[in-house]
Amino acid sequence: MSTTITPVEPTEPAPAPGDRRWPRRFVRPGAAALSGLLLFASFPPRPFWWLALPGFALLGWTLRGRRPRAGFGLGFLAGLGFLLPLLKWTGEEVGPLPWVALAAVSALFIGVVGVGIAAVSRLPAWPVFAAAVWILGEAARARVPFGGFPWGKIAFGQADGMFLPLAAVGGTPVLGFAVVLCGFGLYEAVRLVLARRGANASRAEAGADPDRPAEGMTRPVPRAAVAVAALSVLVPVVGALAALPLVDDSAEDGTATVAAIQGNVPRLGLDFNAQRRAVLDNHAKRTEQLAADVRAGKEPKPDFVLWPENSSDLDPYRNGDARLVIDDAVKAIGVPTVVGSVLSPDTGKLRNSLIKWDPESGPVATYDKRHVQPFGEYIPMRSFVRIFSSDVDRVRRDFGPGDKVGVFDLAGTRVGLATCYEAAFDWAVRDTVTHGAQLITVPSNNATFGRSEMTYQQLAMSRVRAVEHSRAVVVPVTSGVSAMIMPDGEVVDESKMFTPDALVRELPLRSSRTPATTMGTLPEALLVAVAVGGLGWAGARTVRARRRADSDGVS
């Protein structure tokens, strides 16, 4: 007769008063939160991109060998430490509840990632699988819910970093993977060095030669593990150096002189457009001033002019006064101008549109923003959300998305259009380049978020996109920071916040495609496959271990 004995995990007794083990319970949770804070500190406007490496090294120490429940809790704490300060701008005018809710929901994804990293951390070459799991989490967060929220992708903190050229190789997934892999590799290298020293010290105390293993014993640190740790650090660095030739700001198709208008707004916050005519007048007057400067020889004449998103929240197709103001400004400068406007049809949803305005023919083409912002431009589950915040009623009529890729021909230059929030989405920018864009513009409106870090975080995204697709990027913003970015990611001109300005710059036009543009979603799909493979391997090992344990428990 046999009996199956179910092993019972030992439980630790409750710590007695003064028990030194009690403070140790908080070491890993504290380290997890600190790792998140280091990731936050690596993002603009701070230039400390390299803090992402110790941030992931610390996260690796926190999660390695943990059980799933602990992995989730520690990952969630890391996510809060990262995203709570990073997304503080979302509560700038609506209070802390939406901000905390968004950060908490986003941190749940990192909590699930923590489970995955803890699981694969027991595998050989675990830094590779763990970094891929992080990218899997970013891919999921960029898609669900409500179309995703990719803000806080690790790649977006690397606009000043040495790994930036990798954006041209495989886009934000490859760039982010390299940073995470290098961080985990640093931790693994330090762990193995300390393990080797500890083993040698123990052997020395026992009177054995620390450099020669005793008969029948293997080396305490396998050479394969050392090689994996070293390669996890070296491959991203060498890869970034090898990718440098892909970063090119030369003019393949000549140049274009571009003007970006920042008209400023009459007031900050959610009510910035309460004086919509004032916002429109500001941009028209600054354009007319530029026209006067061109006639006086103070500025070169631009080939085309770019206004920001929401520069005319008065629909010029329905409002004759608005149409006249825009038309006068465009005729004054005498070149095609892209105007950001809100179009309000008689029925259906509003459209956040960019209008191509010709000085002779008036409005001749439109691009409707394809990825409208949930809880900003439209309210999902409106009646439910109203329970928590009455600010949802500020959005009285939802915006609807467009369905066509935005590329305007402006005086012979094909300009790709990605409106504000769309710059965070890989597909929204890549589509414009695959449809022939020689230059990209990201017209934005950051007035809602005051003087927060949001504008700098978004500017960093545009810098990464410039390298990813090897295109100059122009960022016209209602209230700042507007900028001109070269294809190598360098900001060559920028405005101050809440200051009317006109940036005029000759920029290179390019038509070649980087590997990132050509391959599209393939690099991300491959990294997701690596993550899934690692998780499957880890799961199979766990099942085998449990079966062996069950078998050993049978007598």
Side-chain angles (χ1 to χ4, degrees):
M1 180 176 180
S2 62
T3 305
T4 301
I5 302 174
T6 302
V8 179
E9 296 181 1
T11 57
E12 295 184 7
D19 190 336
R20 293 182 179 180
R21 290 178 299 176
W22 181 245
R24 294 177 61 183
R25 292 176 178 266
F26 295 98
V27 172
R28 286 189 187 271
L34 178 58
S35 70
L37 288 172
L38 288 173
L39 296 182
F40 160 68
S42 72
F43 271 66
R46 292 159 295 278
F48 308 132
W49 60 268
W50 49 268
L51 284 177
L53 302 182
F56 280 109
L58 185 58
L59 184 63
W61 174 81
T62 303
L63 291 173
R64 187 177 184 276
R66 299 298 97 188
R67 294 180 178 178
R69 185 171 65 178
F72 177 81
L74 294 170
F76 183 67
L77 285 174
L80 289 178
F82 174 32
L83 295 170
L84 269 175
L86 187 77
L87 302 178
K88 186 177 182 296
W89 52 268
T90 60
E92 189 75 14
E93 295 293 332
V94 294
L97 183 58
W99 158 44
V100 174
L102 176 61
V105 170
S106 299
L108 287 174
F109 284 84
I110 299 181
V112 175
V113 166
V115 176
I117 292 175
V120 301
S121 68
R122 298 177 176 87
L123 298 177
W126 74 266
V128 176
F129 294 110
V133 168
W134 182 276
I135 299 306
L136 170 61
E138 287 191 342
R141 190 160 61 90
R143 290 167 171 82
V144 294
F146 310 118
F149 185 71
W151 216 279
K153 271 190 170 186
I154 291 302
F156 295 148
Q158 297 296 308
D160 290 307
M162 67 167 295
F163 298 104
L164 180 60
L166 289 170
V169 175
T172 60
V174 168
L175 173 54
F177 175 78
V179 175
V180 182
L181 176 61
C182 193
F184 286 152
L186 282 173
Y187 160 65
E188 181 67 356
V190 172
R191 186 186 73 83
L192 293 177
V193 167
L194 295 178
R196 179 65 182 267
R197 287 182 178 179
N200 288 344
S202 297
R203 290 181 56 77
E205 290 177 2
D209 184 351
D211 295 323
R212 298 180 60 185
E215 186 177 352
M217 295 181 61
T218 58
R219 292 182 180 273
V221 179
R223 292 180 179 179
V226 174
V228 167
L231 290 174
S232 296
V233 176
L234 292 177
V235 168
V237 174
V238 173
L241 295 174
L244 279 173
L246 296 174
V247 181
D248 187 356
D249 63 358
S250 62
E252 296 176 332
D253 304 324
T255 62
T257 301
V258 186
I261 301 298
Q262 177 174 303
N264 204 11
V265 297
R267 61 168 67 103
L268 283 65
L270 290 176
D271 294 322
F272 78 94
N273 65 346
Q275 298 177 4
R276 293 181 293 174
R277 177 59 185 267
V279 176
L280 170 57
D281 286 346
N282 285 352
H283 288 84
K285 289 176 180 177
R286 193 62 189 84
T287 303
E288 290 166 352
Q289 181 182 337
L290 172 61
D293 290 341
V294 169
R295 289 192 297 270
K298 297 179 181 179
E299 293 281 5
K301 183 173 183 177
D303 295 308
F304 53 89
V305 175
L306 302 172
W307 285 16
E309 176 191 32
N310 299 139
S311 47
S312 174
D313 275 350
L314 292 169
D315 184 346
Y317 293 103
R318 301 174 63 87
N319 188 301
D321 288 346
R323 183 180 183 121
L324 184 61
V325 169
I326 297 171
D327 205 48
D328 286 347
V330 176
K331 285 180 178 178
I333 194 64
V335 297
T337 300
V338 176
V339 177
S341 185
V342 173
L343 303 187
S344 51
D346 289 331
T347 60
K349 297 180 179 180
L350 300 173
R351 291 290 186 269
N352 186 341
S353 299
L354 300 174
I355 305 173
K356 175 184 173 182
W357 206 287
D358 186 83
E360 295 180 359
S361 307
V364 293
T366 59
Y367 165 68
D368 296 334
K369 186 176 182 180
R370 291 181 291 161
H371 200 305
V372 292
Q373 183 182 353
F375 304 103
E377 292 173 304
Y378 76 101
I379 307 297
M381 307 180 299
R382 183 181 289 267
S383 58
F384 175 76
V385 175
R386 188 182 291 112
I387 297 173
F388 303 96
S389 175
S390 60
D391 284 316
V392 299
D393 293 325
R394 291 176 180 263
V395 183
R396 298 177 183 177
R397 185 176 175 185
D398 287 343
F399 282 79
D403 57 5
K404 295 182 180 179
V405 178
V407 179
F408 285 166
D409 186 323
L410 302 175
T413 298
R414 292 183 62 79
V415 178
L417 312 169
T419 306
C420 195
Y421 184 57
E422 292 182 319
F425 294 86
D426 295 345
W427 60 266
V429 182
R430 183 174 58 246
D431 281 357
T432 69
V433 180
T434 59
H435 281 72
Q438 300 166 295
L439 178 146
I440 298 169
T441 183
V442 184
S444 303
N445 172 29
N446 298 335
T448 303
F449 306 108
R451 298 184 181 275
S452 69
E453 294 184 357
M454 183 270 189
T455 188
Y456 301 104
Q457 294 172 12
Q458 190 175 55
L459 179 59
M461 292 179 191
S462 295
R463 295 179 62 193
V464 172
R465 299 304 184 195
V467 174
E468 181 178 9
H469 301 294
S470 195
R471 296 292 188 273
V473 179
V474 181
V475 185
V477 183
T478 51
S479 56
V481 174
S482 299
M484 301 279 194
I485 305 168
M486 295 291 281
D488 62 359
E490 180 187 3
V491 177
V492 291
D493 201 359
E494 65 180 285
S495 68
K496 296 180 180 179
M497 294 184 71
F498 296 99
T499 303
D501 206 346
L503 307 181
V504 184
R505 195 86 180 189
E506 185 178 12
L507 296 174
L509 304 179
R510 296 178 58 82
S511 56
S512 63
R513 296 186 182 183
T514 64
T517 307
T518 301
M519 290 189 291
T521 59
L522 180 60
E524 183 181 59
L526 292 175
L527 291 173
V528 168
V530 171
V532 172
L535 292 169
W537 186 9
R541 283 166 58 106
T542 300
V543 170
R544 288 196 297 268
R546 288 177 178 174
R547 287 176 178 173
R548 284 196 299 268
D550 290 342
S551 177
D552 293 341
V554 177
S555 60

